[in-house]
Each structure stands twice: as structure tokens, then as C-alpha cells.
Amino acid sequence: MAEVTAESRIEAPAAKLWAQLTDWGAYGQWSMTHTDFPEGGPGNLAVGATFTENMKMMGFPAEVLWTVSELEDQRLFAITGKGPMGVAVLTRYTLTADGTATKVRIDGEFTGAAVSLMAGKLKDSATAALNESLRRLAALVA
């Protein structure tokens, strides 16, 4: 298993960040791992909704079938997914108001036999991608 976390205090209200996080057409403007949503992203953002995302991790393309597992408007968005080689993925976005700003935390978890072979490199790559994604997200909402 490989677990990753990135956190940033972004000078924007949670509502503005939430709108950017859930703007599927603009997802690639800030997400460093995103390539595209072949079906346009989740149509109805609700627990149980499914969607497919094409991603790139460690330079390799991957298609992930996601299911929305947790959802609290403007606070929490979590998705669980199945990727290639039996890899299970969890991504959780948590937004917490902090005065006029918002703390944004992204947690990721990768499990499966293939992960154990490359856990260290995967963790380093994913952490760098999450930190750069938060930097880009902050620039978009500034």
C-alpha cells in the first residue's frame, strides 16, 4: 500500500474551490494526473455515481473506473477506483474554512499487488503531483 497526502491553505472561499474541483471540463487545468474523462466526468455528483477517468501516473497511462464514495457539498469529495493490474485507488478532497481562506487536503491511497513492487516511487510521484495540483488550483481561483 502507498498513502499520500498534500495540503495547502488557499486564499479563496470553500464555495469557489468546490466549484473548481467539480468543474469536470476544467479538471485538467489543475490536476496533474488527469488526462481526460472519456464520458465527460460524473454527470450527477452523488454517492454511488460512477465515471471513467484516463490518468497518467509515473509517466504511464491508466484508466480508472471511479465511484463517488463520500460527498458533503463544499466540504468533502471522496472517490474509490479500480485501475490497471488490480490496483485499487482512493482519492479524498477535504475543504476546511480558515478565515477568508480554505485549507484543501488531498489524500490518496493505492493498494494491490502491483503497488507493493513500486510503492516508494509511486508515493514520491503521487505526492509531487498532488502538491503541484494544489499550486495550480490556487492559481486558478486567485
Side-chain angles (χ1 to χ4, degrees), residues 27-82:
Y27 207 75
Q29 293 178 15
W30 63 270
S31 176
M32 292 299 298
T33 58
H34 176 75
T35 304
D36 77 328
F37 294 114
E39 300 152 10
N44 179 22
L45 189 57
V47 172
T50 61
F51 61 99
T52 302
E53 179 181 16
N54 290 325
M55 306 175 72
K56 189 173 261 189
M57 287 295 300
M58 296 175 35
F60 296 102
E63 181 178 272
V64 178
L65 175 60
W66 293 108
T67 301
V68 177
S69 56
E70 298 175 74
L71 185 64
E72 292 179 41
D73 191 48
Q74 299 182 25
R75 293 196 56 228
L76 175 69
F77 174 50
I79 49 179
T80 55
K82 297 287 182 195

Side-chain angles (χ1 to χ4, degrees), residues 2 7 14 24-25 35 61-62 64 67 73 83 85-86 91 104 119 125 127 137 141:
E7 188 170 7
W24 312 121
T35 304
V64 178
T67 301
D73 191 48
M85 299 187 301
T91 303
V104 180
S125 176
T127 299
L137 180 62
V141 298

Side-chain angles (χ1 to χ4, degrees), residues 3-22:
E3 295 178 324
V4 294
T5 298
E7 188 170 7
S8 182
R9 184 178 187 275
I10 298 176
E11 290 296 328
K16 189 171 185 179
L17 282 159
W18 185 262
Q20 189 66 55
L21 281 173
T22 58

